[in-house]
Amino acid sequence: MHAHVSPMLSNNRQSSTLSPFSGAYSTREYGRSGPLDEIVALGRARMVTEGTAIHRAGDAFRSVFYIKSGAAKRVLIQEDGREQILGFPMPGDIVAIEAISAGTHSTTVVALDICAIVEIPFEALEALAAERPDVARFLYQRMSAALREEHSWLAALGLFNADERLATFLLDLSQRFSARGFSAQRFMLRMTRAEIGSFLGLTLETVSRVFSRFQKLGLLNVTRREIELLDMDALYKLAHTRPTH
Amino acid sequence: MHAHVSPMLSNNRQSSTLSPFSGAYSTREYGRSGPLDEIVALGRARMVTEGTAIHRAGDAFRSVFYIKSGAAKRVLIQEDGREQILGFPMPGDIVAIEAISAGTHSTTVVALDICAIVEIPFEALEALAAERPDVARFLYQRMSAALREEHSWLAALGLFNADERLATFLLDLSQRFSARGFSAQRFMLRMTRAEIGSFLGLTLETVSRVFSRFQKLGLLNVTRREIELLDMDALYKLAHTRPTH
DNA sequence: CGCTGGTTTGACTTGGCTCAATCATCGTGG
DNA sequence: CCACGATGATTGAGCCAAGTCAAACCAGCG
C-alpha cells in the first residue's frame, strides 16, 4: 500500500543470514530513532507465547505495547462475536495507541508467534511527552501514521476486488519486511488463510484460490506459509501502486 | 441560515430554525472541553462555499481544520483516480489530523455545503500542547478516537452486507446529530447516494435500493435528502449494536 | 419550458460466498 | 516406529448479493 510510511527506516545494514523464516527475529536493526529508545526504556521486556493475548478489548487501558520481536494480530470483536482483523503488527510497531483516552481497550492483540513485548505505562509516557517535545511529536507521528494506514485499508476494502486486495496485502508485507532488513521477495506468512481473509474482508477459500491463481500466473510461489514473490511489477500493477523508493 | 433549510427539523431542542448542518452554532453545546476553545482560538474563522476543498491531498501540511458549521466529506484519492470517501465531518470535528507529521496532506476534504471553518496552524497547536498537558491530552484523545472510528468502519466493510452497512451509517449519523442537540430521528442527508455508496463500499444503485426496501419495511421514510428513522430498534438490530446513550 | 444532476427501478451478469470433499502436515500417544 | 486425530489448505459445484448497464423519472433552475 502506498501509504505505508514507516517512520523509521532503512539505515539498517542487516545481516542477510537472519531470515524471517527463522522464527523470532530481533529488531535492533529496525526502529532506531531517539525518542523510541527512551520510550521503550519506560517498560521492561517480557515474552509472550503464541496464542496469548497481549491485551484484550474491555481491559482497562493503562499501557501501550511495543513489539520487540515476533508477530501478532490486532482484532476488533463485534458484539455478535464476529471478528475483524485490523492488522498484523511487526517488530518496531506499537499497539493499543487507539485506546489512549478511552479508558478501556477496544481491540485485542494476540501473538501469532512467540513475542518479546515491552509494556509501556501510558502515564509514564505521557509524563515524558509533557517535558520532551520530541517525544510528543513522536507520538503524534505514530498516531497519524496509523490513521493514514487505516485509510489505505479502508479504501482497499471499499474499492478493490479479491485479487487487488491480496496483491496489496502481499506488497505491504513485503515492504515492511524489507524496511526491517529482510528480503522483500521471500518471507514467511505468520497468519492463516482465515486470518488473511478476515483482514481483507474475504473468506479463507477465496484467499486460497487467489494464491493458487497467482501461482499459476507466475506471480509468486507459495507453499503453506512460505511465500516468494516472483513478479513484483505485476503485483504492483494489481495493487494500483508504485514501489515506494 | 439558508432558504433551503427545511422547516422539518423543528423538533430539535435548540432554535427550531437551526438546521443541523447549516446553522453556525457555538462550540459550547458540543464538545465542550476547555482545551478545544483555546485550540480554536489559535485560528480565525472563514467561510467556504459548497464544493470547494478545505484542503487537498498533496498540499503541504501546515494546519488542521476545525469545522464550525456546515458539512463536508473526507476523500482519499487513489493513484488511478478512484475515490474512497472516508467520512463526513460534522461541526465540532477536526479534520486533517492524519496529516500531522506527514509533510503533506494525504486526504482531501470538500465542503458539501457552505461551511464555517477555522484553520489551526499546527505549529501553534504543537507549541500550545507543549506547555499545556491538557491540550496534549486533548490531541491524543481526538486522534485515538479517530482511530477507533476507522476501526469500526473497517469492520463494517469487512463483515457487513449492504443492509447492515446502511443501517450502521444511518444510526451513526443519528447519534452524531443527537450529540449535537438535533433530532435523532429526522435529519437531512447532505451527501448524494453516490457519496454514501463510496463511503460504504457500495454502488449508488444499491444504496437507493436498500433505502427503498427499508421504506417498504417501515424502517424509515426517505424522500430525496430528507430522512426520518421510524424503527430505531430494527435498525440497531441490523447494525448489530445497542443504542449508546 | 427544457436542461442537468441526482434518484429510482428493472433486467441481467458475475465475483465471491457457502457447502462439501479431499489432502497435507504435524504432534501425540500407543 | 506408525497410526491417528487435529488443524489448516486446496479445490469443486452451485448459488446469491451486489455490481453493471440501461431506461425513466423528478425537482430545481436558467
Side-chain angles (χ1 to χ4, degrees):
Chain A
M1 178 126 302
H2 54 285
H4 202 89
V5 213
S6 294
M8 40 186 26
L9 344 137
S10 55
N11 54 345
N12 45 58
R13 59 262 106 162
Q14 152 76 24
S15 84
S16 61
T17 55
L18 194 62
S19 123
F21 296 89
S22 64
Y25 42 95
S26 104
T27 55
R28 261 177 321 189
E29 301 77 16
Y30 175 70
R32 161 182 345 194
S33 47
L36 181 57
D37 288 338
E38 296 176 59
I39 288 169
V40 173
L42 292 174
R44 228 173 58 258
R46 77 164 191 267
M47 299 305 286
V48 161
T49 60
E50 179 182 344
T52 27
I54 294 169
H55 65 81
R56 281 199 182 78
D59 288 354
F61 173 75
R62 275 186 252 291
S63 316
V64 297
F65 298 84
Y66 176 77
I67 311 289
K68 224 167 128 76
S69 74
K73 59 176 176 179
R74 294 165 43 225
V75 187
L76 186 67
I77 296 158
Q78 302 288 104
E79 301 193 358
D80 60 6
R82 285 185 295 177
E83 298 189 354
Q84 170 72 35
I85 292 186
L86 299 169
F88 299 101
M90 275 188 188
D93 291 339
I94 293 172
V95 299
I97 52 178
E98 77 283 340
I100 293 174
S101 90
T104 62
H105 287 278
S106 55
T107 61
T108 297
V109 171
V110 179
L112 289 177
D113 193 356
I114 189 163
C115 277
I117 63 167
V118 181
E119 175 166 358
I120 301 162
F122 184 67
E123 222 170 83
L125 179 53
E126 199 177 21
L128 182 62
E131 52 187 43
R132 289 281 306 279
D134 60 329
V135 172
R137 173 164 294 197
F138 177 86
L139 278 181
Y140 301 141
Q141 285 182 350
R142 281 290 175 122
M143 296 181 83
S144 69
L147 275 164
R148 291 194 300 277
E149 287 231 353
E150 310 287 356
H151 291 169
S152 295
W153 289 115
L154 217 27
L157 291 204
L159 297 169
F160 291 177
N161 65 21
D163 291 13
E164 295 167 330
R165 289 184 207 180
L166 199 66
T168 304
F169 172 70
L170 293 174
L171 290 173
D172 180 62
L173 280 186
S174 164
Q175 288 183 197
R176 293 164 74 201
F177 275 124
S178 143
R180 284 160 178 79
F182 299 109
S183 167
Q185 277 76 42
R186 295 187 94 227
F187 46 88
M188 200 88 177
L189 303 170
R190 306 314 256 262
M191 66 294 286
T192 66
R193 303 289 188 265
E195 285 161 343
I196 296 172
S198 166
F199 180 55
L200 298 177
L202 303 169
T203 58
L204 70 98
E205 292 97 329
T206 299
V207 172
S208 179
R209 276 184 247 272
V210 176
F211 268 140
S212 300
R213 187 148 31 77
F214 280 3
Q215 179 149 353
K216 205 158 289 175
L217 292 169
L219 304 191
L220 51 77
N221 274 327
V222 61
T223 53
R224 266 186 98 55
R225 306 284 179 92
E226 292 178 24
I227 192 159
E228 180 176 17
L229 308 184
L230 298 173
D231 189 343
M232 301 285 278
D233 287 353
L235 290 172
Y236 273 112
K237 202 164 251 176
L238 272 171
H240 308 287
T241 352
R242 306 263 111 249
T244 66
H245 61 268
Chain B
M1 227 114 318
H2 325 292
H4 65 270
V5 168
S6 92
M8 61 176 291
L9 297 146
S10 44
N11 59 342
N12 68 62
R13 58 178 171 75
Q14 296 190 330
S15 137
S16 58
T17 53
L18 246 186
S19 140
F21 280 114
S22 63
Y25 52 88
S26 89
T27 60
R28 240 168 312 152
E29 288 93 8
Y30 174 70
R32 158 201 10 218
S33 37
L36 181 57
D37 288 338
E38 296 175 60
I39 287 169
V40 172
L42 292 173
R44 230 175 55 259
R46 75 163 192 269
M47 300 304 287
V48 161
T49 60
E50 180 182 341
T52 25
I54 293 169
H55 65 80
R56 283 198 181 78
D59 288 354
F61 172 76
R62 275 187 252 291
S63 315
V64 298
F65 298 85
Y66 175 78
I67 312 288
K68 222 167 131 78
S69 74
K73 58 175 177 181
R74 293 164 44 225
V75 187
L76 186 68
I77 297 158
Q78 302 288 105
E79 300 193 358
D80 60 6
R82 284 186 295 178
E83 298 189 354
Q84 171 71 35
I85 292 186
L86 299 170
F88 299 102
M90 276 188 187
D93 291 339
I94 294 172
V95 298
I97 53 178
E98 77 283 340
I100 292 173
S101 89
T104 61
H105 287 277
S106 55
T107 61
T108 297
V109 172
V110 179
L112 288 177
D113 192 358
I114 188 162
C115 279
I117 61 167
V118 181
E119 176 166 356
I120 300 162
F122 184 67
E123 221 170 86
L125 178 53
E126 198 177 21
L128 182 63
E131 53 186 43
R132 288 279 306 278
D134 59 328
V135 172
R137 173 165 291 196
F138 177 86
L139 278 181
Y140 301 141
Q141 285 183 349
R142 281 289 173 126
M143 295 180 85
S144 68
L147 274 165
R148 290 193 302 276
E149 287 234 352
E150 309 287 357
H151 291 169
S152 297
W153 289 115
L154 217 26
L157 292 204
L159 298 169
F160 291 179
N161 65 21
D163 290 14
E164 296 167 330
R165 290 184 207 181
L166 199 65
T168 305
F169 172 70
L170 292 173
L171 290 174
D172 180 62
L173 281 186
S174 165
Q175 287 184 199
R176 292 163 75 202
F177 276 126
S178 143
R180 285 160 178 78
F182 300 107
S183 168
Q185 276 76 44
R186 299 184 91 219
F187 46 87
M188 200 90 175
L189 303 169
R190 312 312 288 218
M191 66 295 284
T192 67
R193 302 289 188 264
E195 284 161 343
I196 296 172
S198 166
F199 179 55
L200 298 178
L202 302 169
T203 59
L204 70 98
E205 292 96 328
T206 300
V207 173
S208 179
R209 275 184 247 272
V210 175
F211 268 139
S212 301
R213 187 149 29 79
F214 280 3
Q215 178 147 353
K216 205 158 290 176
L217 292 170
L219 304 191
L220 51 78
N221 274 327
V222 60
T223 53
R224 268 184 99 54
R225 306 285 179 92
E226 292 177 24
I227 192 159
E228 180 177 17
L229 308 184
L230 298 175
D231 189 344
M232 303 285 277
D233 287 352
L235 290 172
Y236 273 111
K237 202 163 253 178
L238 272 171
H240 307 286
T241 358
R242 309 262 110 249
T244 66
H245 53 271

